[in-house]
Amino acid sequence: MHTLHPRLAILPRTACLILGTILAVRFLAACATVKPQQRAVLADPIMQFEGDPQAAAQMRHAVDNREGSYGGGGVSGGGCGCN
Amino acid sequence: MVGMSLVSAASAARASAQVAVVDTAHTLYHEAPTRTNMTVYTPGVDVAVTPASWLTVRGGYEADVVSGASVGVKAGPAYAAVNPGADVISTASVRDYRHAPRAGVTLRHGDVAYTAQYTYGTENDYKSHSFFVSARTEAYDHNTQLELSYSRNADLVCDRTQAVNDKPPRFRALEDSRGCFGSSDPLRTRHTVSIDALQATWTQAWTPTVATQLAYTAQILDGFQSNPYRSVILAQGLKAQEHSPDHRARHSIAARANVYVRPLKVAVRLAARGYRDTWDLWSATFELEAERYFFEGFRIAARARYYAQTGTSFWSDDYTGGNKPLGPKGQYFTGDRELSPFHSLALGLRMTYTVESANGHLAGLMRSLKIGASAEVVNFSYDEYTLGGIPITNARAYVLGLNASASF
């Protein structure tokens, strides 16, 4: 039986998840009705998901190297620094 | 709060005309559990220039200054029991520097922003070329943001050259990083590590005070993923360099919600993440954060984070128990406590002070200045990991952060 290379085996599931997310976004996002003039609180730094990207990335770098898991906070990287 | 919102809105309006932003962040990590210690200082600086509303060019630099003592030879309780009085654990001093210069560009066209970045990482025993691209778009009156990002790492890790006919249970650990790169030392070799990562993020504003974010991340690692310096005792008189599988596929789904509670004037952030990988490691993370302004521009956040993971399928605290040769614990062996089952609880505080210039010139040249400081304590509780049968105690890490951002 033909099997995918281990590097490629993840792709079908990944594609399904991305496609499902896109469909969910299209369906659900249309329900949101926040008008531009109502966005004052949402625009405040206190409501941002990542207000200080560099500081947050450094914190993730420190934590990721002490845990066995990964993800959810961006995929940019560079080097190990994993002592 | 409303005043701050207006200041923020004014700031956002000026952003398109902003010329340059300088960010600097510094993190100090320290832990000293039983018989080991590790201190990592990470300074970083980034400069972003926006000469036109459609273009941002950025460059930066980050480093890791690492010093401490880590476990060099790992043994478990069964081995320690049959070798009473012998100190079966050894530690090795660690001193290393990672330098990581980076450069990137963001192009904007309508509601879409495209970003590309390259980072070069170099340390005594590791070289990395990292390429990152992302596309971000907004829809439905800017209430919906979608981002797709991808990174590709082409890395090299140093290792000790092993005897031609030896198999992993006979491999010897790397003694130190001398001669790893830039020399023809026959006792040094390099392994490739390729890392592909993909993330899809959906950020949604639902009401004037509620926003959520959903992120799916996948990562595929191919290549040498063990710690080349660490050995594991496999049997009486037999120690071998730890040996992890070369392939690892990782998935995680993270959900976050930001809710502004008007009566309390507090922003509450909730986050949860589930993770699993092909090494059969599962984890769950829960975060709770509350932040509020105390006076104009000054805010404090309190944060708690709980994390729990299982061990990998090949994790064992002691490999001397006659594991099946073709089973996961017979083929692979590790002394890495990050691959063992554990849970941790982190508690922290963060302060941020932002000052905006009313007339566009602060101290004669800045438009705005933001200063932040954070402190966090992380307490690790290891379910199985021991050093020669002795559970590690005081597994507590302290993380301090300082950051500043100025726009000109």
Side-chain angles (χ1 to χ4, degrees), chain A residues 7 10 25 29 32 34 39 43-44 46-47 52 54 58 61 66-69 71-72 74-75 77-79 81, chain B residues 25 27 46 64 98 123 128 130 143 151 196 202 217 220 222 248 250 256 258 269 273 293 305 307 309 370:
Chain A
R7 283 178 63 83
I10 192 177
V25 168
V34 184
R39 298 181 58 82
D44 193 281
I46 204 169
M47 285 294 284
D52 298 307
Q54 193 184 29
Q58 285 192 1
H61 176 63
R66 270 78 203 171
E67 296 176 351
S69 52
V75 295
Chain B
T27 302
D46 276 297
D64 276 321
R98 179 180 70 105
E123 51 195 296
S128 169
S130 178
N143 289 321
S151 72
D196 296 274
W202 167 31
T217 312
I220 300 174
D222 235 342
R248 189 179 192 185
R250 316 169 89 182
R256 301 181 184 90
N258 284 1
R269 302 189 189 95
R273 183 186 71 175
Y293 286 100
R305 179 179 187 270
Y307 172 82
Q309 70 171 49
K370 181 166 71 176

Side-chain angles (χ1 to χ4, degrees), chain B residues 145-191:
Chain B
Q145 293 175 355
L146 299 172
E147 183 168 358
L148 196 60
S149 49
Y150 168 79
S151 72
R152 164 86 181 173
N153 272 39
D155 298 357
L156 282 176
V157 58
C158 178
D159 191 15
R160 188 187 195 283
T161 303
Q162 309 295 344
V164 175
N165 294 319
D166 275 355
K167 298 295 181 190
R170 296 280 176 191
F171 283 0
R172 294 171 63 182
L174 181 66
E175 301 86 356
D176 55 55
S177 62
R178 278 177 294 187
C180 275
F181 292 96
S183 83
S184 54
D185 188 340
L187 288 177
R188 297 288 177 268
T189 186
R190 269 75 59 186
H191 302 293

Side-chain angles (χ1 to χ4, degrees), chain B residues 241-311:
Chain B
Q241 182 188 54
E242 69 172 27
H243 180 56
S244 299
D246 279 351
H247 178 76
R248 189 179 192 185
R250 316 169 89 182
H251 304 267
S252 77
I253 293 180
R256 301 181 184 90
N258 284 1
V259 180
Y260 186 72
V261 184
R262 285 189 192 273
L264 300 175
K265 298 181 180 177
V266 170
V268 177
R269 302 189 189 95
L270 301 162
R273 183 186 71 175
Y275 166 92
R276 73 169 293 197
D277 65 29
T278 52
W279 290 3
D280 206 25
L281 191 150
W282 296 63
S283 80
T285 311
F286 301 97
E287 292 180 53
L288 172 64
E289 188 171 304
E291 185 169 26
R292 70 164 289 171
Y293 286 100
F294 283 81
F295 54 85
E296 185 170 316
F298 181 75
R299 59 187 202 264
I300 294 180
R303 175 173 182 263
R305 179 179 187 270
Y306 176 77
Y307 172 82
Q309 70 171 49
T310 66

